[in-house]
Amino acid sequence: AQSHDVTVAAPAGANQVIIHIPGAADKISGNIQFFRPSDATQDFQVAIKLNESQNQIINTGKLAKGLWRVKISYNLDGQSFYNEIRIKL
């Protein structure tokens, strides 16, 4: 299933991506994959660890500028969710 409430923000000049997944932060498990369409060697994955505001902040200072695809797979209350969001750094 897709959750339409997931947001991925990359504020200009902030060198970070803010991923927001609504729900009980301690009940969500899964991972976030960053795909660089033009260079697969830069792809990476992190486990979801939301803070109390249901946000996860990922530092992008070392990431290449340009287009990325963020793929978010997670489980909540026994249901699986998947979102894919394109961002530009």
Side-chain angles (χ1 to χ4, degrees):
Q2 180 163 20
S3 168
H4 298 288
D5 300 326
V6 171
T7 58
V8 177
N15 278 341
Q16 62 185 29
V17 169
I18 302 161
I19 296 166
H20 178 75
I21 304 174
D26 58 345
K27 294 196 170 110
I28 291 174
S29 63
N31 60 57
I32 301 163
Q33 293 177 296
F34 279 72
F35 282 89
R36 174 91 169 144
S38 61
D39 183 358
T41 65
Q42 296 184 48
D43 295 356
F44 69 96
Q45 176 175 309
V46 295
I48 292 177
K49 285 187 175 60
L50 301 177
N51 63 22
E52 62 280 353
S53 307
Q54 288 117 29
N55 291 330
Q56 181 153 345
I57 297 170
I58 295 169
N59 189 306
T60 59
K62 296 192 169 79
L63 299 185
K65 302 295 178 225
L67 186 69
W68 289 80
R69 288 204 314 254
V70 182
K71 298 181 179 184
I72 303 163
S73 307
Y74 66 97
N75 295 302
L76 174 62
D77 294 332
Q79 286 188 290
S80 295
F81 296 95
Y82 175 80
N83 284 71
E84 184 173 322
I85 298 167
R86 303 175 92 159
I87 59 166
K88 197 155 190 194
L89 297 180

